[in-house]
């Protein structure tokens, strides 16, 4: 009884803490749409390398731009890129995974051969190669990371669908004369939502980290548009003389990863029957 209560409290704490952290990040991103303390792109050479103060809470960078304002604008940029990337990967990966897992046969073998070939490349390496071809821009990074993460979604969804297609209600749908497309959409896909939702939640954090890494390497959103990654890249030469330049973007990345991982754990515990037991 005590162990069950303790486990329940841990799950509830994960959801509350993760939700609170993500609410702060998403709230800052939403607020950046309408207001920031200063213009994130505004240059003020008189305030170059200004340390944290009541005026500049996180200091100012080498161009006198407010670090807090740029971190808020970076939250909007980084989270929107991550959301669009995850949406792209989940939609494409789910469609391919449902078809391959349900239809099987030569279609499954042909598609999964290509999918496994893509999985053989590390996701970051594949994204780097695609970005070198596409070029550094917002939509290029969404496309590159979306393609890099789609094979993982295909593999998870396919395995789930292969298990679901053997269930009695799917066989009953066939016996009633329902078409394959109707059965996939009406009976197979809804029962695969739980693992897809957990994977999408975890993937949001992976994409945030990948986008920050690509921006840090100069292959993400080009400056002066702020993202957490290119803010860290810009702060690197000045970390000894102005360490506050890296605090805000680094803290934002850490808080986002912690919050999304806690939410992912809570969602997995909620949707996975084995964890509930």
């Amino acid at each position: 009884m005590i162990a069950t209560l303790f486990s329940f409290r841990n799950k509830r704490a994960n959801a509350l803490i993760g939700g609170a952290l993500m609410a702060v990040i998403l709230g800052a991103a939403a607020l950046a749409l309408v207001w920031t303390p200063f213009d994130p792109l505004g240059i003020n050479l008189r305030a170059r390398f200004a340390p944290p103060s009541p005026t500049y809470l996180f200091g100012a960078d080498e161009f006198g731009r407010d670090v807090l304002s740029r971190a808020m604008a970076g939250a909007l940029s980084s989270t929107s890129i991550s959301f669009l990337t995850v949406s792209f990967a989940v939609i494409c990966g789910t469609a391919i995974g449902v078809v391959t897992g349900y239809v099987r046969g030569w279609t499954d073998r042909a598609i999964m051969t290509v999918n496994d070939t893509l999985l053989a490349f590390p996701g970051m390496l594949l994204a780097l190669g695609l970005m070198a071809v596409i070029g550094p821009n917002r939509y290029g990074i969404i496309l590159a990371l979306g393609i890099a993460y789609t094979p993982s979604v295909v593999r998870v969804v396919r395995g789930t669908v292969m298990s679901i297609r053997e269930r009695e209600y799917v066989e009953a749908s066939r016996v009633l004369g329902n078409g394959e497309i109707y059965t996939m959409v009406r009976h197979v896909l809804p029962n695969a939502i739980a693992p897809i939702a957990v994977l999408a939640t975890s993937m949001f954090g992976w994409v945030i980290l990948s986008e920050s890494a690509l921006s840090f390497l100069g292959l993400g959103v080009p400056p002066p548009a702020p993202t957490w990654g290119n803010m860290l890249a810009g702060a690197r030469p000045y970390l000894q003389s102005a360490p506050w330049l890296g605090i805000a973007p680094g803290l934002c990345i850490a808080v986002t990863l912690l919050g999304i991982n806690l939410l992912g754990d809570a969602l997995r515990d909620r949707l996975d029957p084995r964890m509930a037991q």
Side-chain angles (χ1 to χ4, degrees), residues 96-273:
I96 297 171
V98 169
V99 171
T100 56
Y102 186 83
V103 176
R104 306 296 301 278
W106 67 267
T107 303
D108 177 39
R109 291 193 295 271
I111 293 177
M112 292 310 297
T113 298
V114 176
N115 192 77
D116 290 343
T117 302
L118 293 176
L119 276 176
F121 293 91
M124 181 57 70
L125 182 61
L126 181 58
L128 282 171
L130 292 171
M131 287 300 298
V133 175
I134 299 171
N137 59 78
R138 183 183 303 273
Y139 299 104
I141 198 170
I142 292 171
L143 181 61
L145 290 176
I147 293 174
Y149 282 107
T150 294
S152 300
V153 181
V154 172
R155 175 59 67 180
V156 171
V157 174
R158 176 179 177 269
T160 303
V161 171
M162 288 176 64
S163 173
I164 293 174
R165 73 189 296 270
E166 306 300 331
R167 303 287 176 85
E168 293 80 2
Y169 51 82
V170 176
E171 185 63 31
S173 179
R174 296 195 191 103
V175 172
L176 290 173
N178 294 324
E180 300 293 347
I181 295 178
Y182 176 86
T183 301
M184 282 190 288
V185 174
R186 180 66 179 83
H187 298 288
V188 176
L189 182 58
N191 288 283
I193 291 298
I196 295 173
V198 174
L199 178 63
T201 304
S202 300
M203 192 180 297
F204 188 91
W206 304 341
V207 174
I208 285 282
L209 196 58
S210 298
E211 183 274 328
S212 298
L214 289 175
S215 295
F216 184 82
L217 295 174
L219 292 174
V221 178
T227 66
W228 295 333
N230 64 28
M231 287 180 67
L232 283 175
R236 182 175 54 178
Y238 311 106
L239 288 180
Q240 289 187 344
S241 58
W244 57 84
L245 297 183
I247 292 177
L251 187 62
C252 288
I253 294 173
V255 168
T256 302
L257 293 178
L258 177 59
I260 202 66
N261 283 331
L262 290 175
L263 278 180
D265 288 343
L267 186 62
R268 180 201 60 197
D269 295 341
R270 178 73 175 176
L271 296 179
D272 192 339

